[in-house]
Amino acid sequence: MAKIKFADEIENITTRKEFPLSKAQKVLKDEVVAVLGYGVQGPAQSLNMRDNGINVIVGQRKSDKPNSSWQRAIKDGWVPGKTLFEIEEAAEKGTIVMMLTSDASIKPVFKQIKKHLTPGKALYFSHGFGWQYRDLTGVEAPEGVDVIMVAPKGSGTSVRRNFLEGVGINSSYAVAVDATGRALDRTLALGIAVGSGYLFPTTFQREVTSDLVGERGTLMGCLQGILNAQYTVLRKHGHSPSEAFNETVEELTQSLIRLVDEKGMDWMYSNCSATAQHGALKWAPEFEKATKPVFEKLYKSVADMTEAKAVVRDCGRKDYKERLEAKLAKIRESEMWRAGQAVRSLRPHEAAKANAATAAGVGGRGAN
């Protein structure tokens, strides 16, 4: 492990240099990794491991529906009866059982597979929810079973995309139960195998808390809220949809956030005009002051399990997908994101793709 200084703290970070893929392959050479769930993280992690030479099988509820996860797995090259099985059969065959089903479905799935978690196996999570909130999910650690976690800091789409581009995505890891004496090696090996660029230690409690706060905060919920607020104010004062969207979203995603990613916030500031620098530095403390109480409220809601209980209650409803689609449709059909669709279709690379598709006789359309 490499000791890296982050701000004023030293952390133990594991990179591909300290734990190369060849070592991961050696650690996992006698394992059968059963990935349960082919929804968000399942496809990316299973495909990355397969491409890295790991013995992987997938467990998913069987369905003949064209857009089902089962059919998606088949399209991705998983073969029913050989590398693709119903969830319980996959859990029985696996020596490492990866619980990559949704948080709301962990309870019924764990009931199905518990009897197959025999001594020597490992129970793997990519999120602290299932283990940390086991009073809600019913998860237990059967005798002799390791309980471990690798949590990629990105969506499954990003995990796969980064892997295919030859770069990794940062992941945290934790060991809750080391029953075999091999739990840490298994964890780090899996972290490298699923495509992590580097791995940093955490606990199940810290991971789930920071994750739930982050998703509800700056990563998704807060971001959506402040974008809506700025766009609405600009439109209210007579700015066109195109202008409001470009100044609210397009410049953020296509320019400024890339500079932050490249070298940090100060680098982004240094590459903007003096007028922009002056105004942003003036108003940043105002936004911090306004939003900090909301983040404190959010953190408390996560810490006292209010958020976790709501997830289990709401996401487990039979009509959850219909309710979700209705909410997403409201976003998609709002004026701001309809303007965004038009703006994206005018990006030079999108126009080039559309022209190429038309020339090939495929027929292109604007970005969704």
Side-chain angles (χ1 to χ4, degrees):
M1 294 183 183
K3 291 187 179 296
I4 306 294
K5 186 175 183 179
F6 290 88
D8 296 324
E9 294 187 25
I10 302 295
E11 296 186 30
N12 293 318
I13 303 299
T14 301
T15 70
R16 297 172 184 176
K17 182 177 180 180
E18 290 84 34
F19 208 110
L21 177 59
S22 58
K23 182 176 180 179
Q25 292 169 332
K26 185 176 181 181
V27 171
L28 300 173
K29 65 183 177 67
D30 296 322
E31 306 276 15
V32 177
V33 183
V35 176
L36 307 187
Y38 209 74
V40 179
Q41 284 287 338
Q45 294 196 35
S46 60
L47 290 170
N48 289 359
M49 285 189 290
R50 186 176 71 182
D51 289 350
N52 275 332
I54 309 302
N55 186 9
V56 186
I57 61 175
V58 171
Q60 175 60 43
R61 183 166 57 87
K62 190 174 183 179
S63 173
D64 293 327
K65 294 181 179 179
N67 296 324
S68 67
S69 295
W70 178 271
Q71 295 300 324
R72 178 185 176 187
I74 292 174
K75 289 178 182 178
D76 286 343
W78 303 100
V79 181
K82 292 185 178 180
T83 54
L84 176 61
F85 304 91
E86 293 269 9
I87 285 178
E88 190 171 342
E89 187 174 0
E92 180 182 15
K93 292 178 179 296
T95 59
I96 296 174
V97 179
M98 300 177 74
M99 287 285 286
L100 299 186
T101 58
S102 69
D103 291 333
S105 66
I106 287 177
K107 189 170 186 175
V109 170
F110 187 78
K111 285 181 179 179
Q112 272 188 284
I113 69 164
K114 181 181 175 182
K115 63 185 176 183
H116 300 300
L117 295 174
T118 51
K121 290 192 175 188
L123 179 61
Y124 167 110
F125 296 90
S126 273
H127 183 28
F129 196 104
W131 176 255
Q132 184 63 28
Y133 300 139
R134 48 195 182 279
D135 287 346
L136 297 176
T137 62
V139 170
E140 300 174 26
E143 187 176 353
V145 175
D146 294 336
V147 179
I148 61 179
M149 176 180 68
V150 173
K153 299 298 105 181
S155 69
T157 299
S158 299
V159 172
R160 182 60 174 165
R161 181 180 293 158
N162 283 23
F163 177 84
L164 293 175
E165 291 175 353
V167 296
I169 197 162
N170 307 335
S171 301
S172 60
Y173 72 91
V175 174
V177 179
D178 182 6
T180 66
R182 298 184 292 117
L184 181 58
D185 275 353
R186 279 172 145 176
T187 304
L188 295 176
L190 288 164
I192 296 300
V194 301
S196 302
Y198 74 78
L199 296 142
F200 60 94
T202 188
T203 66
F204 278 74
Q205 187 275 332
R206 290 204 304 265
E207 191 283 333
V208 72
T209 302
S210 60
D211 192 76
L212 292 183
V213 170
E215 291 169 345
R216 286 151 178 75
T218 59
L219 301 179
M220 296 173 68
C222 176
L223 181 63
Q224 179 189 344
I226 61 173
L227 294 180
N228 285 345
Q230 178 170 305
Y231 180 90
T232 300
V233 168
L234 289 172
R235 289 288 289 130
K236 176 184 175 181
H237 291 281
H239 298 270
S240 70
S242 175
E243 184 170 63
F245 187 84
N246 272 281
E247 293 295 346
T248 300
V249 179
E250 191 75 352
E251 190 170 352
L252 170 70
T253 60
Q254 298 302 299
S255 175
L256 300 185
I257 204 65
R258 297 180 180 185
L259 293 172
V260 176
D261 172 65
E262 187 178 322
K263 289 187 180 180
M265 186 69 75
D266 63 310
W267 175 248
M268 182 268 284
Y269 271 83
S270 69
N271 280 276
C272 292
S273 69
T275 302
Q277 294 167 355
H278 180 273
L281 291 168
K282 172 186 174 182
W283 281 91
E286 293 290 331
F287 284 107
E288 182 177 357
K289 181 180 178 181
T291 59
K292 191 172 181 181
V294 180
F295 280 101
E296 291 287 1
K297 181 180 178 182
L298 168 57
Y299 194 94
K300 182 179 182 297
S301 186
V302 171
D304 67 13
M305 292 178 58
T306 298
E307 295 300 309
K309 291 174 183 176
V311 167
V312 172
R313 181 193 67 226
D314 297 339
C315 297
R317 295 173 59 117
K318 290 183 179 179
D319 62 347
Y320 170 70
K321 288 187 177 180
E322 290 77 11
R323 286 170 171 261
L324 172 64
E325 176 51 34
K327 292 179 180 179
L328 296 181
K330 187 175 181 180
I331 297 173
R332 184 169 57 247
E333 294 164 8
S334 69
E335 184 192 274
M336 181 168 74
W337 292 108
R338 284 188 287 113
Q341 181 179 358
V343 169
R344 290 193 299 276
S345 71
L346 296 172
R347 291 176 189 164
H349 60 281
E350 293 293 341
K353 283 196 295 185
N355 291 336
T358 303
V362 176
R365 62 189 182 97
N368 291 320

